[in-house]
Amino acid sequence: MTDSSSRRERSAYTGFATSPLDRRADLRDTHDAVAALRHRSDTRIAVVAGETPILKRLDGETQSVWFSHGESELLGPGLEEAFLGIDGAGAPRFARLIDRSLVDELRERPELLVTDLRSVALKRLVPKDELGPLGEGKALLDWHARHRFCAQCGGPTEPGAAGWKRQCTACGAQHFPRTDPVVIMLATRGDQCLLARQSRFAPGMYSCIAGFVEPGETFEDAVRRETWEEAGLRTGAVRYLCSQPWPFPSSLMIGCLAEALNDDIVLDGTELEAGRWFSRQEALQMLEGTHPDNLFCPPHMAIANTLLKAWALEGERAV
Ligand SMILES: [Zn+2]
């Protein structure tokens, strides 16, 4: 849940980070209470077909992720459902998974907008306060879809706790939704920062280096290892700056600044196809879209954008 003070945190400027919902975890194990919330007239439901959000067109150019119970029933049979929480007005919010095969059919309906979650964030297709719950719902439903069998014995699992766990019907093991930590870092040295690109990036886009945290590592250790493995840079001080839920499928991006200790970049050649030092002036040009070589950085909703702004515009440092 976000309030006025958390909205000032740097993390709040990243996409998928702001949610007005009180998750009310205390209600998840009270089946009757959740069933009652499910059938209230003010209940609203976000619907995802496979991995694709279904949006409701409102007046003009605006859309909403929220459907009434009756509207959601008309989109297709629910495969999984999760209780997301209660909004500021006391209205219950749920997320529902429907079959991915329905996407093409729903795309034809004029009252709906059917597009991928990245585009929803990038094009600001829904209000910021709706993007967080949509990402939460998508990540949670995606976890259900991928965890139908027990990792311990292979038996079938069934959902519980209002969509916040799965239980094995054979051995009884309980499984909980996972979040995978990923460090993303801007390595800087004096007035320069390291940006790199992968071959899958749009032409001209450069971003921060990132990688999964491995077992036994602190965030700081993961930053130093990834920077060394991918760019041949030794880094010293590492400072956490902000984080971002990244529901593709279920990561948490941990944004850090890192102090580089050497200048010579040696790209690993597999993950990165190019990388180099950029001056602060170039970083500002990339943020503004005025770089003379048409190079640019990730867009407003990406944490790499927030990190670059924090360093280039606001003067943040690792030390
Ligand atoms: Zn089992």
Side-chain angles (χ1 to χ4, degrees):
M1 191 163 73
T2 46
D3 58 19
S4 57
S5 57
S6 59
R7 279 172 194 273
R8 288 195 294 273
E9 290 167 356
R10 197 171 261 116
S11 301
Y13 294 99
T14 64
F16 307 107
T18 309
S19 172
L21 303 185
D22 180 349
R23 295 190 177 207
R24 292 297 305 269
D26 57 309
L27 295 176
R28 291 174 188 166
D29 284 317
T30 54
H31 182 76
D32 290 349
V34 174
L37 292 173
R38 178 72 185 69
H39 293 101
R40 279 175 36 172
S41 61
D42 58 349
T43 296
R44 292 294 177 267
I45 302 167
V47 179
V48 179
E51 296 169 353
T52 308
I54 311 298
L55 307 181
K56 180 166 75 170
R57 289 188 194 274
L58 305 174
D59 296 338
E61 295 294 300
T62 57
Q63 286 78 221
S64 175
V65 309
W66 300 121
F67 293 87
S68 69
H69 178 258
E71 289 168 337
S72 72
E73 292 284 310
L74 295 174
L75 299 177
L79 303 176
E80 301 283 353
E81 198 166 271
F83 170 57
L84 299 182
I86 306 279
D87 76 4
R93 304 288 167 140
F94 288 78
R96 175 190 273 196
L97 180 70
I98 61 175
D99 198 89
R100 65 178 65 243
S101 66
L102 295 167
V103 165
D104 288 341
E105 174 192 330
L106 295 175
R107 218 186 283 278
E108 300 300 315
R109 293 207 205 166
E111 75 275 23
L112 303 176
L113 178 60
V114 179
T115 188
D116 66 285
L117 185 58
R118 271 192 182 80
S119 298
V120 176
L122 183 64
K123 299 175 184 172
R124 296 186 170 101
L125 296 179
V126 299
K128 188 172 170 58
D129 278 358
E130 296 188 10
L131 190 59
L134 180 61
E136 173 193 345
K138 189 256 185 191
L140 193 52
L141 295 172
D142 193 77
W143 173 78
H144 280 286
R146 292 166 191 254
H147 290 80
R148 300 201 189 282
F149 295 93
C150 178
Q152 189 161 279
C153 78
T157 59
E158 60 183 15
W164 288 89
K165 74 173 182 187
R166 294 189 76 86
Q167 185 149 356
C168 178
T169 56
C171 76
Q174 295 188 333
H175 303 281
F176 296 93
R178 55 182 294 169
T179 296
D180 300 317
V182 173
V183 285
I184 178 164
M185 50 281 186
L186 186 66
T188 67
R189 186 158 164 82
D191 201 41
Q192 300 188 101
C193 69
L194 170 71
L195 296 173
R197 54 172 283 110
Q198 299 175 16
S199 56
R200 64 181 178 84
F201 286 3
M205 189 176 94
Y206 279 74
S207 185
C208 300
I209 293 175
F212 285 101
V213 179
E214 294 188 346
E217 280 185 323
T218 63
F219 296 160
E220 293 88 343
D221 287 342
V223 166
R224 285 185 281 263
R225 175 183 53 75
E226 284 285 344
T227 313
W228 171 246
E229 288 176 359
E230 293 192 21
L233 275 188
R234 292 293 184 192
T235 46
V238 171
R239 186 179 147 220
Y240 165 80
L241 213 62
C242 53
S243 62
Q244 176 181 33
W246 191 243
F248 303 99
S250 55
S251 294
L252 175 68
M253 308 297 286
I254 299 141
C256 298
L257 294 176
E259 178 195 30
L261 301 178
N262 56 298
D263 293 311
D264 40 333
I265 297 164
V266 183
L267 297 179
D268 75 344
T270 51
E271 292 198 38
L272 302 177
E273 68 166 21
R276 67 169 174 88
W277 293 106
F278 287 78
S279 69
R280 179 185 308 277
Q281 188 195 357
E282 279 188 290
L284 291 169
Q285 289 170 333
M286 291 168 84
L287 285 163
E288 292 163 1
T290 57
H291 192 280
D293 299 327
N294 293 322
L295 304 182
F296 60 98
C297 61
H300 62 93
M301 34 70 85
I303 192 171
N305 185 290
T306 311
L307 287 172
L308 199 57
K309 262 185 200 147
W311 173 74
L313 210 55
E314 299 162 23
E316 295 287 358
R317 292 275 183 285
V319 282

